[in-house]
Amino acid sequence: MDFGSITEFLANKTILVTGATGFIAKILVEKILRVQPNVNKLYLLIRASNSQAADIRLQDEVYMRTTKLRKLSLVAHIVVRTVFWTQVLGKELFKILREKWGTKFECFMSEKISAVAGDTSYENLGITGHRLKQMYNDIDIVINVAATTKFDERYDVALGVNTLGPKHVVNFAKNCANIKLLIHVSTAYVCGEKTGIISEKAYGMGETLNGVVGLDIDSEKKLVDQTLSSLKASDVPEKDIRIRMKNLGDQRAKFYGWPNTYVFTKAMGEMLVGKLRGNLPVLIMRPTIVCSTFKEPFPGWVEGCRTIDSIAVMYGKGYLGLFCGDSTSVLDLIPADMFVNSIIVAMKDHINQSKLTVYQVGSSKRNPISLGDVHDILFRYFTKNPWINREGNTVNVRKGVVLSNILIFEIIFSLLHYFVQMVLILPNKMGDSSFLRTLRNFDKKLKMVTRIVELYKPYVFFKGIFADTNTEKLLITARENGLDENAFNFDPLCINWKDYFFNIHLPSIVDNLF
């Protein structure tokens, strides 16, 4: 197979991308349009959610009354178009394309891209009528990137998007007359807290991490529906329902051996893809921790605080003088543009092959970096480039202490929190003194650090290394057959982590917050 012709391969293809307003999907869309302007069309599925178009109040208020995506109104399409232009093409990510096309940029984008109002949580992705028939006839490749990535998401939401979403995407793809490939983006951390070498193995239906039998996705859906109905029938406030649904997801995940709702529901999504695909060619792409772009379309593009970035930012702000983790644990990182390149190269290799292949795309096996290394880099970076707080003052960071014993950490923080609470509830004649304000701020920091440790505990003590046998074979084969590595590099060996953090990643996340 000629891997020097990847751009030619993309020409005249019609591709559906779900989760189009997400971080990875935007980079994927930009890459395809930049390297192959002769792609036939990109259908971008965008959830018709008014929270994504809050500036259009009238449309929002009308659309909020639509509880199911049975029939999309003109208003919904207006909302989707606005979301598309502001949350996708309005990003700095597309500046290279804007410069290339100049005044023709919007015309080019309108010709190549069709923003579709829909939701993977529904059958037929919530698309109806003529548009559905047209897409069934047009689409060659489906790339499912839609997901909710919150570790502690409500169970009903996570199950709908991360588990039932892939089911609906598979069924949609099987109805496409000219379908050649389905790519499902998952996460390497569906492995939970496994140790040792973690293989690129697909999940069997009902398989659990702790050997507990009885995992049945239909039963999980019924449990969610029954719980919600019971809570609403009892007039439980929405805030309490949200908490109960988050707790339910956490309980179900831990019952079957997963550390949180996110990876549990993503694992079940993989199970459904494998079970329902039939003869459909399928790739399951499992990235590790996706971070800012390494090279394309320019170094350091990122959105918000992603995964470990929350820890980096809190450290820079001086909140993490004491943290918990195993300094020897490997943090498996992969820049977003490298992951996108792996998707496109794998797409070329697997077109029309009626099999399921899993690719784990990361760096822990061939170019690892430890938590201790990252801690040292953070200290050096924020010492040299100190954070400026809201008051305009420089934040001086300390090297701090990383506790490898979670129990000791929890005891220390519990005692600190107890002490602060005791002081705050004592009668104080000074009123709202600066001391009390300082104490409240300290308590707020304690809660933030405790929350961060709780969420990331499975990963800062992680003892697994992700095998990337299939990914490495793909890279070797592609290189032997003419891969243009300037355009489609996904080899983590080329990354100098210290240079990447100092000159690309950390400056980008700091700038992103201002």
Short mmCIF file of all heavy atoms in Angstrom, two decimals, residues 4-31:
data_model
loop_
_atom_site.label_atom_id
_atom_site.label_comp_id
_atom_site.label_asym_id
_atom_site.label_seq_id
_atom_site.Cartn_x
_atom_site.Cartn_y
_atom_site.Cartn_z
N GLY A 4 2.48 7.15 0.58
CA GLY A 4 2.84 8.48 0.10
C GLY A 4 1.65 9.18 -0.53
O GLY A 4 1.70 10.36 -0.86
N SER A 5 0.55 8.43 -0.70
CA SER A 5 -0.63 8.99 -1.39
C SER A 5 -1.80 9.21 -0.43
O SER A 5 -2.95 9.12 -0.84
CB SER A 5 -1.05 8.05 -2.52
OG SER A 5 -1.42 6.78 -2.00
N ILE A 6 -1.50 9.48 0.84
CA ILE A 6 -2.59 9.66 1.81
C ILE A 6 -3.47 10.85 1.44
O ILE A 6 -4.69 10.79 1.53
CB ILE A 6 -2.02 9.83 3.24
CG1 ILE A 6 -1.40 8.51 3.70
CG2 ILE A 6 -3.11 10.26 4.22
CD1 ILE A 6 -0.79 8.57 5.09
N THR A 7 -2.84 11.93 1.01
CA THR A 7 -3.65 13.10 0.64
C THR A 7 -4.54 12.78 -0.56
O THR A 7 -5.70 13.21 -0.60
CB THR A 7 -2.75 14.32 0.34
OG1 THR A 7 -1.75 13.94 -0.63
CG2 THR A 7 -2.07 14.81 1.60
N GLU A 8 -4.01 12.02 -1.52
CA GLU A 8 -4.83 11.63 -2.66
C GLU A 8 -5.98 10.71 -2.21
O GLU A 8 -7.09 10.79 -2.75
CB GLU A 8 -3.98 10.91 -3.71
CG GLU A 8 -3.05 11.81 -4.51
CD GLU A 8 -1.77 12.16 -3.74
OE1 GLU A 8 -1.61 11.67 -2.60
OE2 GLU A 8 -0.97 12.94 -4.27
N PHE A 9 -5.71 9.87 -1.24
CA PHE A 9 -6.73 8.98 -0.70
C PHE A 9 -7.92 9.77 -0.14
O PHE A 9 -9.07 9.37 -0.28
CB PHE A 9 -6.11 8.10 0.39
CG PHE A 9 -7.08 7.52 1.36
CD1 PHE A 9 -7.88 6.45 1.02
CD2 PHE A 9 -7.21 8.07 2.64
CE1 PHE A 9 -8.79 5.92 1.94
CE2 PHE A 9 -8.11 7.54 3.55
CZ PHE A 9 -8.91 6.46 3.20
N LEU A 10 -7.64 10.90 0.50
CA LEU A 10 -8.70 11.71 1.09
C LEU A 10 -9.55 12.45 0.05
O LEU A 10 -10.67 12.86 0.35
CB LEU A 10 -8.10 12.73 2.06
CG LEU A 10 -7.49 12.17 3.36
CD1 LEU A 10 -6.71 13.26 4.09
CD2 LEU A 10 -8.57 11.59 4.26
N ALA A 11 -9.00 12.61 -1.14
CA ALA A 11 -9.73 13.34 -2.18
C ALA A 11 -11.04 12.63 -2.51
O ALA A 11 -11.11 11.40 -2.59
CB ALA A 11 -8.88 13.47 -3.43
N ASN A 12 -12.08 13.43 -2.66
CA ASN A 12 -13.41 12.96 -3.08
C ASN A 12 -14.11 12.09 -2.04
O ASN A 12 -15.16 11.51 -2.32
CB ASN A 12 -13.33 12.21 -4.41
CG ASN A 12 -12.74 13.05 -5.51
OD1 ASN A 12 -13.11 14.21 -5.68
ND2 ASN A 12 -11.80 12.49 -6.25
N LYS A 13 -13.55 11.99 -0.83
CA LYS A 13 -14.21 11.22 0.23
C LYS A 13 -15.26 12.08 0.93
O LYS A 13 -15.10 13.30 1.07
CB LYS A 13 -13.19 10.73 1.26
CG LYS A 13 -12.21 9.70 0.74
CD LYS A 13 -12.88 8.38 0.41
CE LYS A 13 -11.87 7.29 0.06
NZ LYS A 13 -11.04 7.59 -1.11
N THR A 14 -16.32 11.42 1.37
CA THR A 14 -17.34 12.08 2.19
C THR A 14 -17.28 11.45 3.57
O THR A 14 -17.45 10.24 3.71
CB THR A 14 -18.74 11.92 1.58
OG1 THR A 14 -18.74 12.52 0.27
CG2 THR A 14 -19.79 12.59 2.45
N ILE A 15 -17.02 12.28 4.56
CA ILE A 15 -16.73 11.79 5.91
C ILE A 15 -17.67 12.43 6.93
O ILE A 15 -17.88 13.65 6.90
CB ILE A 15 -15.27 12.10 6.30
CG1 ILE A 15 -14.30 11.49 5.28
CG2 ILE A 15 -14.95 11.60 7.71
CD1 ILE A 15 -12.86 11.92 5.45
N LEU A 16 -18.23 11.61 7.81
CA LEU A 16 -19.01 12.11 8.93
C LEU A 16 -18.13 12.12 10.17
O LEU A 16 -17.52 11.11 10.52
CB LEU A 16 -20.24 11.23 9.19
CG LEU A 16 -20.98 11.47 10.52
CD1 LEU A 16 -21.62 12.86 10.56
CD2 LEU A 16 -22.04 10.39 10.76
N VAL A 17 -18.08 13.27 10.85
CA VAL A 17 -17.34 13.39 12.12
C VAL A 17 -18.34 13.78 13.20
O VAL A 17 -18.98 14.83 13.12
CB VAL A 17 -16.23 14.46 12.03
CG1 VAL A 17 -15.48 14.56 13.36
CG2 VAL A 17 -15.26 14.15 10.89
N THR A 18 -18.49 12.92 14.22
CA THR A 18 -19.36 13.26 15.34
C THR A 18 -18.54 13.98 16.41
O THR A 18 -17.31 13.94 16.41
CB THR A 18 -20.01 12.02 15.96
OG1 THR A 18 -19.00 11.25 16.64
CG2 THR A 18 -20.66 11.15 14.88
N GLY A 19 -19.24 14.65 17.34
CA GLY A 19 -18.53 15.39 18.39
C GLY A 19 -17.69 16.50 17.80
O GLY A 19 -16.58 16.78 18.26
N ALA A 20 -18.23 17.18 16.78
CA ALA A 20 -17.43 18.08 15.96
C ALA A 20 -16.94 19.32 16.68
O ALA A 20 -16.01 19.98 16.21
CB ALA A 20 -18.23 18.49 14.72
N THR A 21 -17.54 19.68 17.82
CA THR A 21 -17.04 20.85 18.55
C THR A 21 -15.98 20.47 19.58
O THR A 21 -15.50 21.33 20.32
CB THR A 21 -18.21 21.58 19.28
OG1 THR A 21 -18.84 20.66 20.17
CG2 THR A 21 -19.22 22.11 18.28
N GLY A 22 -15.61 19.20 19.65
CA GLY A 22 -14.61 18.75 20.60
C GLY A 22 -13.19 19.03 20.15
O GLY A 22 -12.92 19.32 18.98
N PHE A 23 -12.26 18.93 21.08
CA PHE A 23 -10.85 19.25 20.87
C PHE A 23 -10.23 18.43 19.74
O PHE A 23 -9.67 18.98 18.78
CB PHE A 23 -10.11 19.01 22.19
CG PHE A 23 -8.63 19.23 22.14
CD1 PHE A 23 -8.11 20.47 21.79
CD2 PHE A 23 -7.74 18.21 22.49
CE1 PHE A 23 -6.74 20.68 21.76
CE2 PHE A 23 -6.37 18.41 22.47
CZ PHE A 23 -5.86 19.65 22.10
N ILE A 24 -10.34 17.12 19.81
CA ILE A 24 -9.72 16.25 18.80
C ILE A 24 -10.40 16.41 17.46
O ILE A 24 -9.73 16.48 16.41
CB ILE A 24 -9.77 14.78 19.26
CG1 ILE A 24 -8.84 14.57 20.46
CG2 ILE A 24 -9.38 13.83 18.13
CD1 ILE A 24 -8.97 13.21 21.12
N ALA A 25 -11.73 16.48 17.45
CA ALA A 25 -12.47 16.57 16.19
C ALA A 25 -12.09 17.82 15.42
O ALA A 25 -11.94 17.79 14.19
CB ALA A 25 -13.97 16.53 16.46
N LYS A 26 -11.95 18.94 16.11
CA LYS A 26 -11.60 20.19 15.42
C LYS A 26 -10.23 20.07 14.76
O LYS A 26 -10.03 20.53 13.64
CB LYS A 26 -11.63 21.36 16.41
CG LYS A 26 -13.03 21.85 16.73
CD LYS A 26 -13.02 23.25 17.30
CE LYS A 26 -12.72 23.27 18.77
NZ LYS A 26 -13.87 22.97 19.61
N ILE A 27 -9.28 19.47 15.47
CA ILE A 27 -7.93 19.31 14.90
C ILE A 27 -7.98 18.38 13.69
O ILE A 27 -7.31 18.61 12.67
CB ILE A 27 -6.96 18.78 15.97
CG1 ILE A 27 -6.81 19.81 17.09
CG2 ILE A 27 -5.60 18.44 15.37
CD1 ILE A 27 -6.01 19.33 18.28
N LEU A 28 -8.80 17.33 13.78
CA LEU A 28 -8.97 16.40 12.66
C LEU A 28 -9.56 17.10 11.45
O LEU A 28 -9.06 16.94 10.32
CB LEU A 28 -9.87 15.24 13.09
CG LEU A 28 -10.26 14.23 12.03
CD1 LEU A 28 -9.04 13.47 11.52
CD2 LEU A 28 -11.30 13.24 12.58
N VAL A 29 -10.60 17.89 11.65
CA VAL A 29 -11.26 18.60 10.55
C VAL A 29 -10.28 19.57 9.90
O VAL A 29 -10.16 19.65 8.67
CB VAL A 29 -12.51 19.35 11.06
CG1 VAL A 29 -13.03 20.33 10.02
CG2 VAL A 29 -13.60 18.35 11.44
N GLU A 30 -9.56 20.34 10.72
CA GLU A 30 -8.59 21.30 10.19
C GLU A 30 -7.52 20.61 9.36
O GLU A 30 -7.16 21.07 8.28
CB GLU A 30 -7.95 22.07 11.35
CG GLU A 30 -7.15 23.29 10.94
CD GLU A 30 -5.72 22.98 10.47
OE1 GLU A 30 -5.21 21.87 10.82
OE2 GLU A 30 -5.12 23.81 9.77
N LYS A 31 -7.04 19.47 9.87
CA LYS A 31 -5.97 18.74 9.18
C LYS A 31 -6.44 18.26 7.81
O LYS A 31 -5.74 18.44 6.80
CB LYS A 31 -5.55 17.54 10.04
CG LYS A 31 -4.54 16.61 9.38
CD LYS A 31 -3.15 17.18 9.43
CE LYS A 31 -2.14 16.17 8.90
NZ LYS A 31 -0.76 16.57 9.19
#
